[in-house]
Amino acid sequence: MKTNAFEAVAKYVYPSLRRRLVEILREKGLSQIQIAGLLYITQSAVSRYLRMNRGALIEVEKFPDIDEKLKRLAEIIMKEKPDEYYIHGELVKIAVEMLGKGYVCSFHSKVDPGIDPKLCRICIETFG
């Protein structure tokens, strides 16, 4: 195992969750500048997420339960405008949930062919 689960989350899962959150906020009619302000990121980062130049390796919308959590988070962000620590914490919780449900296993084995998802149960047993 050259790439552990935390590295995979930091490099691929978290950015993909953030990308999907940006998409959801955009679908709700917010401008890139509004999204950037709400998420405490730059407008340039929002643009890269929307152009699929960042966070595009995992199609989060393929996991309906995770996508629903991101939609609820988007509603909270729009209504309550929480601070960046709250948003980060919620994204980390969602990422950990993805690990616990085994959603990251096949992707992890693609970025690190030394991983055998049939043998590795670390994330499911630790976070599931």
Side-chain angles (χ1 to χ4, degrees):
M1 176 176 9
K2 295 176 188 148
T3 306
N4 70 49
F6 290 110
E7 290 170 318
V9 166
K11 273 181 98 170
Y12 306 107
V13 178
Y14 189 93
S16 295
L17 291 171
R18 190 181 262 179
R19 177 202 41 88
R20 181 63 184 138
L21 184 58
V22 165
E23 288 175 344
I24 292 165
L25 291 168
R26 187 72 171 146
E27 289 165 5
K28 295 190 176 293
L30 275 66
S31 70
Q32 290 186 19
I33 292 171
Q34 289 171 312
I35 295 167
L38 288 170
L39 297 182
Y40 304 91
I41 59 178
T42 65
Q43 182 275 327
S44 174
V46 171
S47 177
R48 286 194 300 275
Y49 284 125
L50 292 172
R51 286 193 325 258
M52 302 293 275
N53 290 343
R54 181 185 281 184
L57 294 177
I58 299 175
E59 295 178 60
V60 175
E61 53 276 16
K62 285 187 173 182
F63 307 104
D65 55 333
I66 299 301
D67 204 46
E68 188 56 40
K69 286 182 185 289
L70 289 171
K71 288 176 181 176
R72 285 196 302 269
L73 178 57
E75 289 295 329
I76 291 169
I77 290 168
M78 289 174 59
K79 290 178 184 165
E80 300 175 20
K81 297 174 179 49
D83 65 25
E84 63 188 306
Y85 299 105
Y86 176 85
I87 296 167
H88 173 68
E90 293 303 304
L91 289 173
V92 168
K93 288 175 192 173
I94 294 169
V96 168
E97 182 176 339
M98 289 182 73
L99 289 171
K101 290 183 173 182
Y103 292 168
V104 181
C105 297
S106 63
F107 177 78
H108 191 186
S109 67
K110 287 178 187 169
V111 297
D112 185 348
I115 302 277
D116 184 347
K118 293 176 187 152
L119 297 176
C120 180
R121 308 244 337 127
I122 297 169
C123 294
I124 294 169
E125 290 174 3
T126 305
F127 304 113

